[in-house]
Structure formats: structure tokens, C-alpha cells
Amino acid sequence: QLQASGGGLVQPGGSLKLSCAASGEIFDGAAMGWYRQTPGEQRELVAAILRGGGTHYADSVKGRFTISRDNAKNTVYLQMNSLKPEDTGVYYCATDQVLHKIVVVTPQYWGQGTLVTVSS
């Protein structure tokens, strides 16, 4: 129901754009989020967006990452610029009708992860 794509290997300072396509019944009216997880660490919220376009970012990515959504395509994006090695991880998209669940990392629906590696 959620399909993430766009990960890969990129050099520090480079850019990547992740996409997450959702089925219509879970995308409509929902808050969407992108999360990052590294080995041995808990999954953390990177960015979130409401249906109306309101956004939230983790402090570590503010000014570098941009989350957006195309409601006509049931798709949410994460544009990642000025990537750093510490941005490396598996990125997951997720959705829930309730923003709070996105923020506390307990959304109802998860997509599969896509690996982002930032390395020279």
C-alpha cells in the first residue's frame, strides 16, 4: 500500500529525491512522514506533511530536506540536498490519519525501506 523508491549511493554534498506512492484509500486526508533508521538505532522522524501542506522537520535536516506531496498522484516526496554521511540509513515512508502518530513514530501504515548511502 506504500511503495518507496529513490534511494542509492551519493557523495557528500550531493542530492537525492525519494518518492513514496500510496494507495488512494490510505493517502486521502492522511498525514505522511519520512523516517530514517541506522543499525542499532531507533527509527526517527525526518519530515512530515499534512494533506493541506503543513510540514515538520527534524532539526538535523532543516534547510536541507524538503517534503512535499502530490495529492493527485497519491505520492509524497523527500528532496534531500547537501547530504552528509550521517544522513546514511534506511528511509521509510509512513502514513496515518492522525499527525500525532506520525510524530511519535507509531503510524498505521509503513512502506518498505529504501537505502540511502552518503559516502565518498
Side-chain angles (χ1 to χ4, degrees), residues 2 20 30-35 43 47 49 76 92-96 102 106-111:
L2 290 171
C20 177
M32 306 288 296
W34 282 101
Y35 300 82
R43 199 169 295 185
I49 187 167
V76 63
Y92 298 87
C93 61
T95 184
D96 198 285
I102 292 288
T106 58
Q108 183 174 7
Y109 299 103
W110 286 101

Side-chain angles (χ1 to χ4, degrees), residues 41-91:
E41 299 292 331
Q42 291 186 335
R43 199 169 295 185
E44 62 173 347
L45 178 65
V46 172
I49 187 167
L50 298 173
R51 178 172 178 79
T55 57
H56 166 83
Y57 296 95
D59 288 342
S60 61
V61 306
K62 283 181 180 177
R64 300 188 297 120
F65 290 11
T66 302
I67 189 171
S68 61
R69 62 191 290 167
D70 184 333
N71 292 333
K73 295 182 178 179
N74 294 346
T75 301
V76 63
Y77 305 97
L78 185 68
Q79 177 67 48
M80 304 185 295
N81 298 329
S82 302
L83 283 161
K84 304 175 181 179
E86 52 263 43
D87 294 319
T88 295
V90 179
Y91 283 71

